[in-house]
Amino acid sequence: MDTVIIAIDGQASTGKSTQAKKLAENLKYDYRDSGAYYRAITLYFLDNNIKFDLNITDKILHKINIKQTYEEGQFRIYLNDYDVTDKIRGHKVSLNVSNFAKKKEIRKFVFNQLRKSSESNSLVVDGRDIGTVVFPNADFKFFLVGKPKIRAERRHKQINDDSVKVDIIEEEIKQRDKTDSTREIAPLKKAVDAFKIDVSNLTINEVFNKILQKIKSD
Ligand code: DC
């Protein structure tokens, strides 16, 4: 069966997953959140006290089973059969995930999971390297960017925790952009054939309409 792949990459907190979910629902495709894989793996490693500078072997990775579902507008992620949908968005995971996402063994693990999903389903996938590395032949590619301050404010609202200050989040976002775009393997960068959208001054619906328009016009 011919499957269609839509890649939505971009900086942290630009609304990639919001857009990808809306699109998946609109087109009746499956949805995969690649960042959620890295987050769930990070949670597993933190919970088991496995440091990121340790040698990550296949033996360790084989103990990790991740399942993603997207039904009736609800995304859920299971780590070894536990629902970790909310836990992976916590501050501790956010702070550590870039370090784990740098590791080549972990990237290979996520790469394989995503490729396998695409064999039988049309997918909308969001992440950092979907259009460049995981699915370089994706049918459509989008790259979302935004001003750090605006992204921090949006993330702050999402976290809904007043003890976490906006400027701290902004610094962390900048740091995360830097780690993601300067890492050796699969750095965050726009695929040459990706359509770039600056979301700083756009609403969710405005970004979505741009994406849909682009898909329909191609
Ligand atoms: O999109 P997010 O914030 O949930 O992503 C979590 C982390 O995972 C982020 O630091 C970058 C990393 N990531 C990645 O390296 N490659 C991807 N395809 C997706 C996410």
Side-chain angles (χ1 to χ4, degrees):
M1 182 175 98
D2 265 357
T3 57
V4 175
I5 305 292
I6 302 179
I8 304 195
D9 288 306
Q11 297 170 324
S13 297
T14 46
K16 298 181 296 294
S17 23
T18 304
Q19 297 300 334
K21 281 185 222 165
K22 267 170 89 73
L23 202 55
E25 221 163 310
N26 188 287
L27 301 171
K28 305 212 170 358
Y29 290 178
D30 267 3
Y31 164 62
R32 290 290 178 278
D33 178 343
S34 64
Y37 283 104
Y38 292 104
R39 286 174 177 271
I41 294 166
T42 300
L43 179 65
Y44 178 87
F45 281 56
L46 292 174
D47 282 353
N48 289 282
N49 257 321
I50 303 169
K51 302 273 182 305
F52 70 86
D53 48 1
L54 213 88
N55 187 21
I56 313 273
T57 60
D58 280 348
K59 199 168 148 213
I60 302 177
L61 289 167
H62 273 129
K63 293 190 181 145
I64 303 178
N65 179 33
I66 296 172
K67 205 174 109 198
Q68 294 195 0
T69 61
Y70 187 62
E71 281 154 22
E72 291 169 21
Q74 283 294 315
F75 171 76
R76 308 240 57 100
I77 176 159
Y78 299 87
L79 170 62
N80 295 337
D81 292 330
Y82 284 99
D83 186 337
V84 292
T85 312
D86 297 325
K87 221 172 163 194
I88 60 162
R89 304 283 159 203
H91 196 53
K92 202 167 164 206
V93 170
S94 296
L95 219 54
N96 286 281
V97 61
S98 277
N99 284 324
F100 286 100
K102 275 196 265 189
K103 310 280 293 185
K104 81 169 181 301
E105 301 81 357
I106 294 178
R107 299 209 73 82
K108 192 171 142 213
F109 179 83
V110 175
F111 179 98
N112 287 337
Q113 303 250 337
L114 290 168
R115 300 290 296 206
K116 211 150 78 192
S117 298
S118 73
E119 284 166 10
S120 49
N121 301 298
S122 288
L123 293 181
V124 185
V125 190
D126 75 88
R128 302 293 192 285
D129 61 339
I130 306 305
T132 49
V133 176
V134 184
F135 296 113
N137 297 322
D139 302 82
F140 300 97
K141 298 180 186 179
F142 296 91
F143 194 78
L144 308 189
V145 296
K147 294 195 178 76
K149 193 172 171 49
I150 292 177
R151 289 188 280 141
E153 282 162 2
R154 288 177 181 169
R155 181 71 100 187
H156 187 249
K157 260 199 206 145
Q158 214 177 35
I159 295 173
N160 196 19
D161 177 351
D162 278 341
S163 67
V164 186
K165 299 281 169 255
V166 181
D167 30 347
I168 304 281
I169 301 178
E170 187 179 339
E171 274 323 299
E172 282 168 11
I173 278 183
K174 284 184 187 161
Q175 186 53 47
R176 206 128 65 87
D177 283 349
K178 193 167 164 215
T179 316
D180 291 342
S181 50
T182 54
R183 69 172 171 232
E184 238 170 84
I185 311 167
L188 167 71
K189 67 168 193 242
K190 181 187 161 305
V192 279
D193 52 348
F195 184 69
K196 184 171 161 180
I197 303 175
D198 186 333
V199 304
S200 304
N201 299 310
L202 299 175
T203 64
I204 290 174
N205 279 339
E206 284 168 340
V207 177
F208 185 64
N209 288 336
K210 271 185 187 282
I211 292 176
L212 217 51
Q213 231 173 39
K214 177 75 185 149
I215 291 174
K216 300 219 158 124
S217 70
D218 273 3

